[in-house]
Amino acid sequence: RMATAAVAVLCTLALHPARLEPRIFRSVLLAARPLDCRAPPTMTLVDTRGLALAAVIPSALGLWKREYTVSYGYGGAMLASGCLSLANGAASASPIALAHALLYVCYGARLVLFLLYRELNIPYFNKVRDRIEERAPEGSRYKRLPFCLSCAFLYFCMAAPLKLTESVGVGAAGSSVKLLLAIAYGGFLVASIGDLQKSVAKARGVGLVTSGLFARLRHPNYTGEAALWLASALAGIAAAASMLSLSTAAWALASAIGCAGIQFVLAQATTGLERRQREKYAMLRSRTSNADSVEYEYAYEAWLHRSWAGLTLKFDSRRTQMASRVEIRISGAIPHWGGGKVVAGTKK
């Protein structure tokens, strides 16, 4: 580079001495600098309108089936956002941009394929989809448009970190972004294994899954996904901190909104599943008075104590316990909250 710069200066001096101005020296020196010393590239890889379309078009599936907005629309939006980033040059921009875009592609593709397999092979989920469809607004399907657009806005904000990590370079910011992306990939792996393990267990007729990842994480699919999107958003915000501008601040805000939105959705889903499991495995089974049922309840309570539910919203678990106690007394079984072992109808 320095040799090329020297040749350019000599040629200019020999042919046009009067044109050898200070600005020429500055441009030559800038061209001769090493790549690592140059200013980071501007954020031009991921087109904003393209990112918006990548969120809106898959979400429009909700006009057909309402549940598809938050299933295939969700996975499709993440897949389309990652593919858009790759198509616009993320692979050649930096390894960080490539890794981040591939994370979205892998997550979206896995989710869409998993949902398709589940819909084709497990009748229960078709019933759930039909129940959701029955609760959809009656009349014109365009009444579903506000819900579809609100989901699309969330997906757009969740993809916003791609706009920020496409320009991050080496240094402290790059190292922190790499660490956060590694955590995001770890969350993706936990969520994928959790979905696979639970699907296999349900196909075999297992009621409550308490082994493998579920031994310590009661809902690893939700917990892993929450870690994935939190780390992805923080990676974008960390990248924005190294190139402060009004544009990066706006994209960082969008990333924070997307992260907060999906964390609330996942916490809501986790809380609902916690309530249903408590009602099914701690309340309903207590209606029988045989020792096997009580022993099963003890196993459920022990699992609660040794595992973590992840991020949840607050719900009245005392009310559930009180209802369970009443049902135990009605059935003639002995209340056992607090531990112990049932032997021949007595509690020790």
Side-chain angles (χ1 to χ4, degrees), residues 276-287 296-297 300-301 304 320 324-325 327-328 336-337:
R276 291 193 300 272
Q277 285 183 342
R278 183 178 292 276
E279 291 173 353
K280 183 175 182 179
Y281 298 108
M283 283 180 61
L284 300 181
R285 293 209 175 228
S286 64
R287 291 176 179 171
Y296 191 86
E297 276 189 19
Y300 173 76
E301 290 294 322
L304 288 184
T320 304
S324 183
R325 288 184 180 182
E327 290 182 2
I328 291 172
H336 57 277
W337 301 96

PDB file of all heavy atoms in Angstrom, residues 276-287 296-297 300-301 304 320 324-325 327-328 336-337:
ATOM      1  N   ARG A 276     -50.772 -24.664  34.353  1.00  0.00           N
ATOM      2  CA  ARG A 276     -51.429 -25.884  33.853  1.00  0.00           C
ATOM      3  C   ARG A 276     -50.788 -27.137  34.430  1.00  0.00           C
ATOM      4  O   ARG A 276     -51.487 -28.102  34.762  1.00  0.00           O
ATOM      5  CB  ARG A 276     -51.379 -25.897  32.323  1.00  0.00           C
ATOM      6  CG  ARG A 276     -52.257 -24.851  31.662  1.00  0.00           C
ATOM      7  CD  ARG A 276     -52.412 -25.111  30.178  1.00  0.00           C
ATOM      8  NE  ARG A 276     -51.138 -25.086  29.471  1.00  0.00           N
ATOM      9  CZ  ARG A 276     -50.580 -23.994  28.972  1.00  0.00           C
ATOM     10  NH1 ARG A 276     -51.170 -22.816  29.130  1.00  0.00           N
ATOM     11  NH2 ARG A 276     -49.434 -24.051  28.316  1.00  0.00           N
ATOM     12  N   GLN A 277     -49.466 -27.138  34.553  1.00  0.00           N
ATOM     13  CA  GLN A 277     -48.805 -28.310  35.125  1.00  0.00           C
ATOM     14  C   GLN A 277     -49.169 -28.493  36.591  1.00  0.00           C
ATOM     15  O   GLN A 277     -49.396 -29.615  37.054  1.00  0.00           O
ATOM     16  CB  GLN A 277     -47.285 -28.174  34.973  1.00  0.00           C
ATOM     17  CG  GLN A 277     -46.789 -28.414  33.568  1.00  0.00           C
ATOM     18  CD  GLN A 277     -45.275 -28.345  33.472  1.00  0.00           C
ATOM     19  OE1 GLN A 277     -44.601 -27.803  34.348  1.00  0.00           O
ATOM     20  NE2 GLN A 277     -44.724 -28.885  32.400  1.00  0.00           N
ATOM     21  N   ARG A 278     -49.234 -27.387  37.321  1.00  0.00           N
ATOM     22  CA  ARG A 278     -49.600 -27.506  38.740  1.00  0.00           C
ATOM     23  C   ARG A 278     -51.021 -28.029  38.887  1.00  0.00           C
ATOM     24  O   ARG A 278     -51.301 -28.872  39.742  1.00  0.00           O
ATOM     25  CB  ARG A 278     -49.460 -26.145  39.425  1.00  0.00           C
ATOM     26  CG  ARG A 278     -49.738 -26.181  40.920  1.00  0.00           C
ATOM     27  CD  ARG A 278     -49.543 -24.818  41.543  1.00  0.00           C
ATOM     28  NE  ARG A 278     -48.161 -24.420  41.536  1.00  0.00           N
ATOM     29  CZ  ARG A 278     -47.268 -24.770  42.457  1.00  0.00           C
ATOM     30  NH1 ARG A 278     -47.636 -25.551  43.466  1.00  0.00           N
ATOM     31  NH2 ARG A 278     -46.014 -24.361  42.379  1.00  0.00           N
ATOM     32  N   GLU A 279     -51.921 -27.541  38.062  1.00  0.00           N
ATOM     33  CA  GLU A 279     -53.304 -28.001  38.150  1.00  0.00           C
ATOM     34  C   GLU A 279     -53.437 -29.469  37.748  1.00  0.00           C
ATOM     35  O   GLU A 279     -54.211 -30.222  38.354  1.00  0.00           O
ATOM     36  CB  GLU A 279     -54.190 -27.134  37.258  1.00  0.00           C
ATOM     37  CG  GLU A 279     -54.355 -25.708  37.755  1.00  0.00           C
ATOM     38  CD  GLU A 279     -55.092 -24.830  36.763  1.00  0.00           C
ATOM     39  OE1 GLU A 279     -55.347 -25.315  35.633  1.00  0.00           O
ATOM     40  OE2 GLU A 279     -55.403 -23.674  37.101  1.00  0.00           O
ATOM     41  N   LYS A 280     -52.660 -29.882  36.762  1.00  0.00           N
ATOM     42  CA  LYS A 280     -52.794 -31.258  36.254  1.00  0.00           C
ATOM     43  C   LYS A 280     -52.097 -32.268  37.135  1.00  0.00           C
ATOM     44  O   LYS A 280     -52.650 -33.333  37.427  1.00  0.00           O
ATOM     45  CB  LYS A 280     -52.244 -31.331  34.830  1.00  0.00           C
ATOM     46  CG  LYS A 280     -52.406 -32.703  34.190  1.00  0.00           C
ATOM     47  CD  LYS A 280     -51.951 -32.680  32.738  1.00  0.00           C
ATOM     48  CE  LYS A 280     -52.164 -34.047  32.083  1.00  0.00           C
ATOM     49  NZ  LYS A 280     -51.753 -34.037  30.667  1.00  0.00           N
ATOM     50  N   TYR A 281     -50.883 -31.954  37.570  1.00  0.00           N
ATOM     51  CA  TYR A 281     -50.083 -32.958  38.260  1.00  0.00           C
ATOM     52  C   TYR A 281     -50.096 -32.813  39.773  1.00  0.00           C
ATOM     53  O   TYR A 281     -49.706 -33.735  40.473  1.00  0.00           O
ATOM     54  CB  TYR A 281     -48.636 -32.911  37.760  1.00  0.00           C
ATOM     55  CG  TYR A 281     -48.541 -33.231  36.287  1.00  0.00           C
ATOM     56  CD1 TYR A 281     -48.253 -32.244  35.352  1.00  0.00           C
ATOM     57  CD2 TYR A 281     -48.778 -34.519  35.832  1.00  0.00           C
ATOM     58  CE1 TYR A 281     -48.182 -32.536  33.995  1.00  0.00           C
ATOM     59  CE2 TYR A 281     -48.722 -34.819  34.478  1.00  0.00           C
ATOM     60  CZ  TYR A 281     -48.417 -33.824  33.564  1.00  0.00           C
ATOM     61  OH  TYR A 281     -48.366 -34.109  32.228  1.00  0.00           O
ATOM     62  N   ALA A 282     -50.542 -31.672  40.325  1.00  0.00           N
ATOM     63  CA  ALA A 282     -50.617 -31.533  41.766  1.00  0.00           C
ATOM     64  C   ALA A 282     -52.054 -31.472  42.263  1.00  0.00           C
ATOM     65  O   ALA A 282     -52.344 -31.943  43.344  1.00  0.00           O
ATOM     66  CB  ALA A 282     -49.872 -30.275  42.222  1.00  0.00           C
ATOM     67  N   MET A 283     -52.967 -30.911  41.484  1.00  0.00           N
ATOM     68  CA  MET A 283     -54.358 -30.798  41.929  1.00  0.00           C
ATOM     69  C   MET A 283     -55.207 -31.987  41.490  1.00  0.00           C
ATOM     70  O   MET A 283     -55.769 -32.688  42.312  1.00  0.00           O
ATOM     71  CB  MET A 283     -54.974 -29.508  41.373  1.00  0.00           C
ATOM     72  CG  MET A 283     -54.539 -28.255  42.105  1.00  0.00           C
ATOM     73  SD  MET A 283     -55.320 -26.816  41.378  1.00  0.00           S
ATOM     74  CE  MET A 283     -57.037 -27.202  41.630  1.00  0.00           C
ATOM     75  N   LEU A 284     -55.263 -32.215  40.191  1.00  0.00           N
ATOM     76  CA  LEU A 284     -56.206 -33.202  39.686  1.00  0.00           C
ATOM     77  C   LEU A 284     -55.874 -34.609  40.161  1.00  0.00           C
ATOM     78  O   LEU A 284     -56.768 -35.399  40.443  1.00  0.00           O
ATOM     79  CB  LEU A 284     -56.247 -33.142  38.157  1.00  0.00           C
ATOM     80  CG  LEU A 284     -56.668 -31.793  37.577  1.00  0.00           C
ATOM     81  CD1 LEU A 284     -56.707 -31.851  36.067  1.00  0.00           C
ATOM     82  CD2 LEU A 284     -58.033 -31.380  38.111  1.00  0.00           C
ATOM     83  N   ARG A 285     -54.618 -34.922  40.276  1.00  0.00           N
ATOM     84  CA  ARG A 285     -54.245 -36.266  40.699  1.00  0.00           C
ATOM     85  C   ARG A 285     -54.521 -36.488  42.184  1.00  0.00           C
ATOM     86  O   ARG A 285     -54.540 -37.606  42.642  1.00  0.00           O
ATOM     87  CB  ARG A 285     -52.780 -36.532  40.391  1.00  0.00           C
ATOM     88  CG  ARG A 285     -52.495 -36.582  38.894  1.00  0.00           C
ATOM     89  CD  ARG A 285     -51.342 -37.492  38.613  1.00  0.00           C
ATOM     90  NE  ARG A 285     -51.169 -37.598  37.172  1.00  0.00           N
ATOM     91  CZ  ARG A 285     -51.023 -38.744  36.542  1.00  0.00           C
ATOM     92  NH1 ARG A 285     -51.042 -39.864  37.216  1.00  0.00           N
ATOM     93  NH2 ARG A 285     -50.859 -38.784  35.244  1.00  0.00           N
ATOM     94  N   SER A 286     -54.666 -35.428  42.949  1.00  0.00           N
ATOM     95  CA  SER A 286     -54.926 -35.580  44.372  1.00  0.00           C
ATOM     96  C   SER A 286     -56.360 -36.029  44.658  1.00  0.00           C
ATOM     97  O   SER A 286     -56.705 -36.310  45.789  1.00  0.00           O
ATOM     98  CB  SER A 286     -54.666 -34.260  45.096  1.00  0.00           C
ATOM     99  OG  SER A 286     -55.569 -33.277  44.637  1.00  0.00           O
ATOM    100  N   ARG A 287     -57.210 -36.096  43.644  1.00  0.00           N
ATOM    101  CA  ARG A 287     -58.590 -36.521  43.866  1.00  0.00           C
ATOM    102  C   ARG A 287     -58.680 -38.011  44.183  1.00  0.00           C
ATOM    103  O   ARG A 287     -59.662 -38.474  44.726  1.00  0.00           O
ATOM    104  CB  ARG A 287     -59.429 -36.207  42.626  1.00  0.00           C
ATOM    105  CG  ARG A 287     -59.635 -34.714  42.409  1.00  0.00           C
ATOM    106  CD  ARG A 287     -60.381 -34.438  41.124  1.00  0.00           C
ATOM    107  NE  ARG A 287     -60.587 -33.008  40.948  1.00  0.00           N
ATOM    108  CZ  ARG A 287     -61.060 -32.447  39.853  1.00  0.00           C
ATOM    109  NH1 ARG A 287     -61.380 -33.208  38.819  1.00  0.00           N
ATOM    110  NH2 ARG A 287     -61.214 -31.138  39.774  1.00  0.00           N
ATOM    111  N   TYR A 296     -46.826 -39.833  43.487  1.00  0.00           N
ATOM    112  CA  TYR A 296     -46.562 -39.064  42.271  1.00  0.00           C
ATOM    113  C   TYR A 296     -46.544 -37.576  42.577  1.00  0.00           C
ATOM    114  O   TYR A 296     -45.742 -36.835  42.050  1.00  0.00           O
ATOM    115  CB  TYR A 296     -47.630 -39.377  41.217  1.00  0.00           C
ATOM    116  CG  TYR A 296     -47.294 -38.842  39.845  1.00  0.00           C
ATOM    117  CD1 TYR A 296     -46.504 -39.583  38.975  1.00  0.00           C
ATOM    118  CD2 TYR A 296     -47.734 -37.600  39.438  1.00  0.00           C
ATOM    119  CE1 TYR A 296     -46.171 -39.110  37.724  1.00  0.00           C
ATOM    120  CE2 TYR A 296     -47.408 -37.104  38.194  1.00  0.00           C
ATOM    121  CZ  TYR A 296     -46.633 -37.868  37.335  1.00  0.00           C
ATOM    122  OH  TYR A 296     -46.301 -37.378  36.107  1.00  0.00           O
ATOM    123  N   GLU A 297     -47.442 -37.164  43.486  1.00  0.00           N
ATOM    124  CA  GLU A 297     -47.442 -35.761  43.878  1.00  0.00           C
ATOM    125  C   GLU A 297     -46.142 -35.383  44.562  1.00  0.00           C
ATOM    126  O   GLU A 297     -45.614 -34.306  44.365  1.00  0.00           O
ATOM    127  CB  GLU A 297     -48.624 -35.473  44.807  1.00  0.00           C
ATOM    128  CG  GLU A 297     -49.916 -35.205  44.069  1.00  0.00           C
ATOM    129  CD  GLU A 297     -50.993 -34.719  45.005  1.00  0.00           C
ATOM    130  OE1 GLU A 297     -50.668 -34.264  46.106  1.00  0.00           O
ATOM    131  OE2 GLU A 297     -52.160 -34.804  44.625  1.00  0.00           O
ATOM    132  N   TYR A 300     -43.628 -34.658  41.973  1.00  0.00           N
ATOM    133  CA  TYR A 300     -43.829 -33.367  41.330  1.00  0.00           C
ATOM    134  C   TYR A 300     -43.312 -32.231  42.213  1.00  0.00           C
ATOM    135  O   TYR A 300     -42.628 -31.323  41.747  1.00  0.00           O
ATOM    136  CB  TYR A 300     -45.323 -33.170  41.040  1.00  0.00           C
ATOM    137  CG  TYR A 300     -45.655 -31.787  40.537  1.00  0.00           C
ATOM    138  CD1 TYR A 300     -45.362 -31.419  39.230  1.00  0.00           C
ATOM    139  CD2 TYR A 300     -46.245 -30.837  41.375  1.00  0.00           C
ATOM    140  CE1 TYR A 300     -45.654 -30.144  38.763  1.00  0.00           C
ATOM    141  CE2 TYR A 300     -46.545 -29.574  40.920  1.00  0.00           C
ATOM    142  CZ  TYR A 300     -46.246 -29.226  39.611  1.00  0.00           C
ATOM    143  OH  TYR A 300     -46.525 -27.967  39.160  1.00  0.00           O
ATOM    144  N   GLU A 301     -43.631 -32.291  43.508  1.00  0.00           N
ATOM    145  CA  GLU A 301     -43.166 -31.255  44.419  1.00  0.00           C
ATOM    146  C   GLU A 301     -41.642 -31.251  44.522  1.00  0.00           C
ATOM    147  O   GLU A 301     -41.012 -30.195  44.575  1.00  0.00           O
ATOM    148  CB  GLU A 301     -43.787 -31.449  45.809  1.00  0.00           C
ATOM    149  CG  GLU A 301     -45.269 -31.158  45.859  1.00  0.00           C
ATOM    150  CD  GLU A 301     -45.573 -29.701  45.595  1.00  0.00           C
ATOM    151  OE1 GLU A 301     -44.808 -28.834  46.050  1.00  0.00           O
ATOM    152  OE2 GLU A 301     -46.571 -29.421  44.906  1.00  0.00           O
ATOM    153  N   LEU A 304     -40.223 -29.541  41.536  1.00  0.00           N
ATOM    154  CA  LEU A 304     -40.350 -28.091  41.633  1.00  0.00           C
ATOM    155  C   LEU A 304     -39.204 -27.488  42.433  1.00  0.00           C
ATOM    156  O   LEU A 304     -38.691 -26.422  42.103  1.00  0.00           O
ATOM    157  CB  LEU A 304     -41.682 -27.708  42.293  1.00  0.00           C
ATOM    158  CG  LEU A 304     -42.964 -27.908  41.490  1.00  0.00           C
ATOM    159  CD1 LEU A 304     -44.154 -27.380  42.286  1.00  0.00           C
ATOM    160  CD2 LEU A 304     -42.899 -27.215  40.143  1.00  0.00           C
ATOM    161  N   THR A 320     -53.919 -22.051  44.286  1.00  0.00           N
ATOM    162  CA  THR A 320     -53.885 -23.391  43.711  1.00  0.00           C
ATOM    163  C   THR A 320     -53.650 -24.436  44.789  1.00  0.00           C
ATOM    164  O   THR A 320     -54.277 -25.485  44.814  1.00  0.00           O
ATOM    165  CB  THR A 320     -52.772 -23.472  42.645  1.00  0.00           C
ATOM    166  OG1 THR A 320     -52.997 -22.462  41.676  1.00  0.00           O
ATOM    167  CG2 THR A 320     -52.769 -24.829  41.984  1.00  0.00           C
ATOM    168  N   SER A 324     -56.124 -27.464  46.049  1.00  0.00           N
ATOM    169  CA  SER A 324     -55.628 -28.830  46.063  1.00  0.00           C
ATOM    170  C   SER A 324     -55.866 -29.474  47.420  1.00  0.00           C
ATOM    171  O   SER A 324     -56.238 -30.629  47.534  1.00  0.00           O
ATOM    172  CB  SER A 324     -54.140 -28.856  45.721  1.00  0.00           C
ATOM    173  OG  SER A 324     -53.673 -30.178  45.667  1.00  0.00           O
ATOM    174  N   ARG A 325     -55.670 -28.710  48.492  1.00  0.00           N
ATOM    175  CA  ARG A 325     -55.900 -29.254  49.822  1.00  0.00           C
ATOM    176  C   ARG A 325     -57.366 -29.638  50.022  1.00  0.00           C
ATOM    177  O   ARG A 325     -57.676 -30.678  50.585  1.00  0.00           O
ATOM    178  CB  ARG A 325     -55.492 -28.215  50.868  1.00  0.00           C
ATOM    179  CG  ARG A 325     -53.996 -28.006  50.980  1.00  0.00           C
ATOM    180  CD  ARG A 325     -53.680 -27.039  52.099  1.00  0.00           C
ATOM    181  NE  ARG A 325     -52.246 -26.834  52.210  1.00  0.00           N
ATOM    182  CZ  ARG A 325     -51.694 -26.063  53.135  1.00  0.00           C
ATOM    183  NH1 ARG A 325     -52.463 -25.415  53.996  1.00  0.00           N
ATOM    184  NH2 ARG A 325     -50.383 -25.919  53.190  1.00  0.00           N
ATOM    185  N   GLU A 327     -59.481 -30.537  47.733  1.00  0.00           N
ATOM    186  CA  GLU A 327     -59.771 -31.736  46.961  1.00  0.00           C
ATOM    187  C   GLU A 327     -59.190 -32.971  47.630  1.00  0.00           C
ATOM    188  O   GLU A 327     -59.760 -34.049  47.576  1.00  0.00           O
ATOM    189  CB  GLU A 327     -59.228 -31.581  45.549  1.00  0.00           C
ATOM    190  CG  GLU A 327     -60.011 -30.550  44.742  1.00  0.00           C
ATOM    191  CD  GLU A 327     -59.499 -30.431  43.331  1.00  0.00           C
ATOM    192  OE1 GLU A 327     -58.583 -31.176  42.986  1.00  0.00           O
ATOM    193  OE2 GLU A 327     -60.025 -29.605  42.579  1.00  0.00           O
ATOM    194  N   ILE A 328     -58.036 -32.830  48.282  1.00  0.00           N
ATOM    195  CA  ILE A 328     -57.457 -33.974  48.983  1.00  0.00           C
ATOM    196  C   ILE A 328     -58.370 -34.419  50.106  1.00  0.00           C
ATOM    197  O   ILE A 328     -58.622 -35.605  50.296  1.00  0.00           O
ATOM    198  CB  ILE A 328     -56.073 -33.595  49.548  1.00  0.00           C
ATOM    199  CG1 ILE A 328     -55.081 -33.409  48.403  1.00  0.00           C
ATOM    200  CG2 ILE A 328     -55.542 -34.677  50.483  1.00  0.00           C
ATOM    201  CD1 ILE A 328     -53.745 -32.861  48.843  1.00  0.00           C
ATOM    202  N   HIS A 336     -50.399 -33.552  52.350  1.00  0.00           N
ATOM    203  CA  HIS A 336     -48.987 -33.909  52.447  1.00  0.00           C
ATOM    204  C   HIS A 336     -48.082 -32.762  52.053  1.00  0.00           C
ATOM    205  O   HIS A 336     -46.909 -32.972  51.771  1.00  0.00           O
ATOM    206  CB  HIS A 336     -48.689 -35.107  51.548  1.00  0.00           C
ATOM    207  CG  HIS A 336     -49.056 -34.852  50.115  1.00  0.00           C
ATOM    208  ND1 HIS A 336     -50.340 -35.023  49.667  1.00  0.00           N
ATOM    209  CD2 HIS A 336     -48.337 -34.397  49.061  1.00  0.00           C
ATOM    210  CE1 HIS A 336     -50.398 -34.715  48.391  1.00  0.00           C
ATOM    211  NE2 HIS A 336     -49.208 -34.322  47.997  1.00  0.00           N
ATOM    212  N   TRP A 337     -48.593 -31.528  52.015  1.00  0.00           N
ATOM    213  CA  TRP A 337     -47.745 -30.405  51.637  1.00  0.00           C
ATOM    214  C   TRP A 337     -46.655 -30.243  52.687  1.00  0.00           C
ATOM    215  O   TRP A 337     -46.913 -30.100  53.861  1.00  0.00           O
ATOM    216  CB  TRP A 337     -48.572 -29.132  51.521  1.00  0.00           C
ATOM    217  CG  TRP A 337     -49.661 -29.260  50.522  1.00  0.00           C
ATOM    218  CD1 TRP A 337     -50.952 -29.579  50.746  1.00  0.00           C
ATOM    219  CD2 TRP A 337     -49.525 -29.119  49.115  1.00  0.00           C
ATOM    220  NE1 TRP A 337     -51.641 -29.641  49.584  1.00  0.00           N
ATOM    221  CE2 TRP A 337     -50.797 -29.359  48.556  1.00  0.00           C
ATOM    222  CE3 TRP A 337     -48.455 -28.815  48.258  1.00  0.00           C
ATOM    223  CZ2 TRP A 337     -51.025 -29.302  47.195  1.00  0.00           C
ATOM    224  CZ3 TRP A 337     -48.691 -28.750  46.907  1.00  0.00           C
ATOM    225  CH2 TRP A 337     -49.950 -28.994  46.389  1.00  0.00           C
TER     226      TRP A 337
END
